[in-house]
Amino acid sequence: MRDSEIFVHYFLAGEIMHNKDEYILVLDSGLGGLSVLRELSEILPEEQFLYYGDSKNAPYGTRSTEEVRLLTQNCVAQHRPMGIKTVVIACNTATAAAIEDLRATYPDTIIIGMEPALKLAVDRHPGKKILVMATNVTLREHKFTALMDRFSDTATILPLPCPGLVEFVESGQLHTPELSAYLSSLLTPVLKEDISAIVLGCTHFPFLKPVIQELAGPDVEILDGSHGTAMQTRRRLEEANLLRTGKGSITLTNSLGTPEILNRSAKLLEVPL
Ligand code: DGL
């Protein structure tokens, strides 16, 4: 190297090369993430949201971890050309299986995930019994077992895998006798345990809250992580100076692409589009 040579280095690594008007992509295996989008749109009303439900491949929660990782990676890759400043993985299952991979693939993009709201439940019910309803994938992945270990001294945590429950929401069955019978078979044995709180560790389950509350009784508090996730999204956008101002919008899409699934999505969202 000659002394006279001047080397100019541009340190772009870590810099977020996005603009405020890009979309916030909200992903789920299907319709569950709409419970998170509802909260996001309330807390960030000036943002442009692009929702993608992968109902064609739902449920994710009974698949292998590798399959869920691939499906989630595909969802993000498919939407990236549209201009995405932030990804919210509005799915506990996809977060557990894929968030580390996604962050490594897209280091310049804010990627927010979900986890069962165990900290909130333990803070509110220390020393008590807390039931966590979630998918098989969420409960078996390291992310959840580490979370459970963290709080096992402060409360008794009872994980309850709920295979089959997501399908009720996907098919629009939120109040049917079949749903009540299924939930009752799942919950009645464990509710004998004097449960203080139920954590809904799957974003589909808040849509079933009235039926779950009816079975659990009025003294059991039912919690989910959507408010915390929306607040974290706002915090991260603010830190990166990526908060948008102006009229917000919500675009709903789904891998099934049928009018039925889009109507069902709009109905579940319950906000004017
Ligand atoms: N909504 C997803 C979650 O939060 C799971 C749904 C599924 O099994 O596809 O875990």
Side-chain angles (χ1 to χ4, degrees):
M1 189 201 304
R2 293 199 318 267
D3 284 353
S4 57
E5 267 179 327
I6 298 169
F7 290 91
V8 180
H9 296 273
Y10 293 95
F11 291 102
L12 293 176
E15 191 174 323
I16 296 181
M17 317 257 277
H18 288 286
N19 75 68
K20 297 177 179 181
D21 288 327
E22 288 181 318
Y23 286 111
I24 296 177
L25 176 65
V26 183
L27 292 178
D28 181 50
S29 63
L31 307 179
L34 293 162
S35 64
V36 184
L37 179 58
R38 214 159 49 184
E39 197 71 33
L40 281 163
S41 66
E42 219 172 289
I43 287 172
L44 294 162
E46 298 182 80
E47 296 294 335
Q48 312 205 92
F49 292 100
L50 176 60
Y51 183 84
Y52 181 71
D54 191 12
S55 293
K56 197 171 165 183
N57 293 304
Y60 281 11
T62 45
R63 291 176 179 273
S64 73
T65 304
E66 194 45 39
E67 274 181 305
V68 177
R69 194 174 295 144
L70 268 173
L71 287 166
T72 312
Q73 279 277 8
N74 285 345
C75 291
V76 178
Q78 191 182 326
H79 291 91
R80 214 169 134 79
M82 297 178 75
I84 304 297
K85 64 178 177 181
T86 296
V87 179
V88 178
I89 311 173
C91 176
N92 295 260
T93 306
T95 301
I99 196 161
E100 278 162 25
D101 232 46
L102 281 172
R103 285 183 174 148
T105 313
Y106 305 108
D108 68 331
T109 302
I110 297 171
I111 299 181
I112 309 279
M114 305 247 0
E115 65 181 17
L118 207 47
K119 183 182 181 321
L120 177 67
V122 171
D123 283 349
R124 295 174 65 89
H125 301 269
K128 298 285 171 41
K129 288 185 182 166
I130 296 165
L131 184 69
V132 183
M133 297 173 70
T135 68
N136 297 20
V137 173
T138 300
L139 296 178
R140 75 165 180 242
E141 281 300 310
H142 171 73
K143 229 173 168 307
F144 179 74
T145 52
L147 191 68
M148 206 168 125
D149 283 351
R150 207 171 118 204
F151 295 111
S152 57
D153 285 347
T154 0
T156 305
I157 298 153
L158 307 167
L160 181 67
C162 303
L165 208 46
V166 163
E167 287 89 327
F168 281 99
V169 178
E170 287 292 313
S171 62
Q173 294 190 60
L174 307 185
H175 300 285
T176 59
E178 290 78 11
L179 169 70
S180 298
Y182 180 70
L183 270 172
S184 168
S185 69
L186 210 59
L187 291 173
T188 306
V190 74
L191 285 171
K192 294 193 178 103
E193 294 274 345
D194 192 22
I195 303 289
S196 292
I198 298 179
V199 173
L200 304 179
C202 167
T203 55
H204 281 72
F205 300 169
F207 294 116
L208 307 175
K209 188 173 170 180
V211 184
I212 297 171
Q213 190 81 70
E214 203 177 302
L215 286 163
D219 297 336
V220 177
E221 187 176 27
I222 300 181
L223 300 160
D224 70 73
S226 52
H227 181 74
T229 299
M231 292 302 285
Q232 196 200 349
T233 307
R234 184 167 77 181
R235 224 170 12 248
R236 292 290 306 279
L237 285 170
E238 206 166 12
E239 277 166 17
N241 195 24
L242 282 174
L243 276 177
R244 181 178 188 272
T245 48
K247 192 175 171 345
S249 68
I250 297 177
T251 307
L252 296 179
T253 65
N254 191 288
S255 54
L256 284 177
T258 59
E260 290 78 15
I261 200 82
L262 294 174
N263 285 339
R264 193 171 297 148
S265 304
K267 242 176 154 170
L268 284 175
L269 191 60
E270 279 177 349
V271 298
L273 295 176

